[in-house]
Amino acid sequence: MTIEGEKTVPTAATARRGIVGRLSWGLADQAASSLSNFAVGIYVARSLGVTAFGVFSLAWVTYGVVLSVSRGVGTDPLVVRFSGVPDASWRGAVARSSGTALGVGAVIGTVCLAVGLALGGSVGIAFACLGVMLPGLLLQDAWRYAFFAAGTGRKAFVNDLVWGVALVPAMVVAARVGSVAAFVLAWGASAAVAALYGCLQSGIRPQLTGARQWLRTHRDLGYRYLVENTCLSGASQLRAYGLGAIVGVGAVGAVRGAELLLGPFLAVLMGLSLVTVAEAARVLRQAPHRLGPFCLLLGGGQAVAALLWGAALLLMPDRLGAFVLGDVWHDASQLILPAVLGVAGAGLGTGAAAGLRALAAARRSLRSQLFASACYVSGGLGGAVAAGTVGSAWGVAVATLCGSAVWWLQLRTALREHHQNHIREVRTP
């Protein structure tokens, strides 16, 4: 019997069930996201061929950079500071953070549109179309973060399903047109449908006018996360552009093809903070001593899963690979082993990254990301100069493993500092 007014303290078993439930919805959401991304990549690769697919991949990589900007200033601070808070506080924060994402999409989208029109050609047109679609793409991602911060991952899963359903007719129309621009527009338009549905799910309208207040209030985290996120995605973009310049645009398509074969894990890595940062923040509040093992379980689990998937890919017959990727398979198949090792290393590192985010150790996470990004670019481009596309893939694999080691060293130091600060606070009268 509970005395009226007394707070009910959740048991360890109840807390574990809550974590498992939220992580399950996170995995389901990432499975839906992975499937749609994988389907888009495969469909475009088979429809366009390796060179045109390389152009589409450049637009895709650019979207990843812009997404990192939006997450850094808008939704990463939301997950760190508004996970598990009262509903009224969450709703106000979501209105401002989603407005920030929409504003980022509008501003950078205008720049992409102008640059694309100035460039011309297939690459320029693809970038111009991306610019038009960016606001919807970023708003859809913002809703996913918002739902996971509230612990309602089911809504994020449904939103991604809506995007996937809208993709089907959009891709069919794009295939009939048969151009890179048509596929970019189809991909972005279906995301806009899901973004509008997110407004209905949440009952919240993004506040563009609240973006300035949001940026000012959370600038201590936002600017560091902005640099950290753009270092990661910017490194991928630099590697893609550099690889295209050194080896050729077809090499970019081959790398993207290998990434598609690892699509389920890459999609999880890209969106993992939707689940793990929010859960790590809850673990820190409820049982700080469990944060380290929690992060190790997350990172180790992903690394093992990536290696198992990679083993299956290495045993896949050429006939099946050609059926999936078409002409892209021949070049992509040579990159499977280094790509698998790179994804395994990145998976291990994301566990430590989630812990640093939960601790709000933005300075240490930024330091780790700067080092990892520098290694990524150096390894990818240095490998390309030395041994072409295959050399670039091996350079990235080695760089990712080195970066993961730095992430864990920084987390260990941050956990020690947090423990010492907690003891100091307890001893202070």
Side-chain angles (χ1 to χ4, degrees):
M1 181 175 179
T2 304
I3 300 174
E4 186 176 353
E6 181 182 346
K7 291 183 178 179
T8 303
V9 179
T11 64
T14 303
R16 282 195 296 270
R17 282 196 297 270
I19 291 175
V20 170
R22 289 187 293 270
L23 286 175
S24 296
W25 279 117
L27 291 174
D29 174 69
Q30 290 304 324
S33 177
S34 300
L35 183 60
S36 62
N37 289 337
F38 182 76
V40 168
I42 294 300
Y43 199 67
V44 176
R46 290 181 60 84
S47 301
L48 298 180
V50 66
T51 301
F53 183 56
V55 175
F56 180 84
S57 298
L58 290 177
W60 185 288
V61 170
T62 303
Y63 157 70
V65 176
V66 181
L67 183 63
S68 297
V69 174
S70 176
R71 288 179 176 179
V73 299
T75 48
D76 279 346
L78 175 76
V79 173
V80 171
R81 287 181 169 159
F82 294 92
S83 292
V85 300
D87 185 68
S89 178
W90 174 81
R91 293 180 69 84
V94 169
R96 294 187 294 275
S97 66
S98 59
T100 302
L102 196 58
V104 169
V107 172
I108 302 183
T110 301
V111 175
C112 282
L113 177 61
V115 171
L117 293 176
L119 284 175
S122 59
V123 175
I125 295 174
F127 273 75
C129 293
L130 175 65
V132 174
M133 295 292 108
L134 275 176
L137 285 162
L138 299 189
L139 182 58
Q140 191 276 337
D141 186 73
W143 291 131
R144 299 173 69 210
Y145 268 74
F147 294 141
F148 277 109
T152 55
R154 176 180 58 85
K155 292 185 177 180
F157 171 71
V158 172
N159 193 275
D160 268 325
L161 280 184
V162 169
W163 188 3
V165 171
L167 266 172
V168 176
M171 286 288 120
V172 171
V173 173
R176 290 182 178 179
V177 176
S179 67
V180 176
F183 279 107
V184 173
L185 289 174
W187 167 52
S190 55
V193 172
L196 291 174
Y197 181 64
C199 297
L200 296 176
Q201 284 179 292
S202 62
I204 299 172
R205 186 167 57 185
Q207 293 181 1
L208 273 170
T209 54
R212 181 176 297 180
Q213 179 188 353
W214 180 264
L215 293 173
R216 184 173 60 251
T217 303
H218 303 285
R219 62 180 179 272
D220 59 325
L221 293 182
Y223 294 147
R224 285 195 175 97
Y225 289 159
L226 169 63
V227 176
E228 180 181 330
N229 289 354
T230 52
C231 280
L232 174 61
S233 55
S236 298
Q237 190 174 26
L238 285 174
R239 185 235 181 159
Y241 290 164
L243 186 61
I246 296 168
V247 184
V249 177
V252 181
V255 169
R256 178 61 186 154
E259 291 174 349
L260 283 174
L261 296 173
L262 289 157
F265 299 99
L266 288 173
V268 168
L269 290 176
M270 289 177 63
L272 197 62
S273 58
L274 290 170
V275 183
T276 56
V277 175
E279 291 306 319
R282 289 187 177 94
V283 171
L284 180 64
R285 292 189 184 100
Q286 297 169 7
H289 63 283
R290 294 179 181 171
L291 181 60
F294 176 78
C295 294
L296 183 59
L297 180 63
L298 286 174
Q302 290 178 85
V304 171
L307 291 174
L308 291 175
W309 183 265
L313 289 177
L314 290 171
L315 297 174
M316 186 168 65
D318 286 340
R319 184 183 306 172
L320 180 58
F323 174 77
V324 173
L325 289 179
D327 295 338
V328 179
W329 165 253
H330 178 267
D331 294 326
S333 62
Q334 303 175 48
L335 311 179
I336 291 176
L337 180 57
V340 166
L341 294 177
V343 171
L348 185 61
T350 54
L356 287 172
R357 287 286 176 95
L359 290 165
R363 187 172 299 175
R364 290 195 174 277
S365 61
L366 174 59
R367 193 178 303 159
S368 302
Q369 191 58 67
L370 287 172
F371 177 83
S373 298
C375 287
Y376 184 93
V377 174
S378 301
L381 297 185
V385 172
T389 310
V390 176
S392 178
W394 277 107
V396 166
V398 173
T400 304
L401 292 170
C402 293
S404 179
V406 172
W407 277 107
W408 279 101
L409 289 173
Q410 291 292 333
L411 177 61
R412 186 179 66 173
T413 303
L415 287 171
R416 187 185 304 118
E417 290 175 349
H418 182 270
H419 179 66
Q420 291 172 349
N421 291 336
H422 177 71
I423 293 176
R424 194 177 298 117
E425 289 173 2
V426 171
R427 289 178 178 175
T428 302

